[in-house]
Amino acid sequence: MWNLTLGEYDLAPDAPQLAQMRAELASIGEKERILRERGADREAYRYLLDAHRLSASELSLRAGVEHFSAGRDEGRSAAA
């Protein structure tokens, strides 16, 4: 029914629009890539921050236990 050939259809008027659309798609792709990288960076930062918090609380607990133990040992030597 429809017999179109490239000679009958002029692609020239659509070329600037196609180029603009390709540029916009490339820009969107670049923005998505940047957002994925930032998301991964944020996830790594959260992981390191959590590890630091756990390590600090463990050191704090350990110091408290050592302080408590040292105070109890001093009480025993004073009583003796």
Side-chain angles (χ1 to χ4, degrees):
M1 211 191 271
W2 291 85
N3 289 330
L4 293 176
T5 62
L6 289 178
E8 295 174 11
Y9 185 74
D10 187 14
L11 295 176
D14 292 337
Q17 289 177 339
L18 290 174
Q20 181 182 3
M21 289 172 68
R22 284 188 187 114
E24 289 175 9
L25 285 173
S27 175
I28 290 169
E30 181 66 13
K31 289 175 185 174
E32 288 176 342
R33 183 189 64 79
I34 290 169
L35 289 173
R36 279 192 306 271
E37 286 179 4
R38 286 182 184 169
D41 287 346
R42 273 190 239 111
E43 189 64 29
Y45 176 77
R46 282 189 206 113
Y47 174 80
L48 291 174
L49 187 60
D50 287 345
H52 176 73
R53 285 180 182 153
L54 287 172
S55 147
S57 67
E58 183 180 320
L59 288 174
S60 176
L61 287 173
R62 189 178 301 156
V65 168
E66 289 172 359
H67 176 73
F68 179 75
S69 296
R72 193 167 45 172
D73 289 342
E74 287 175 7
R76 285 185 185 165
S77 62

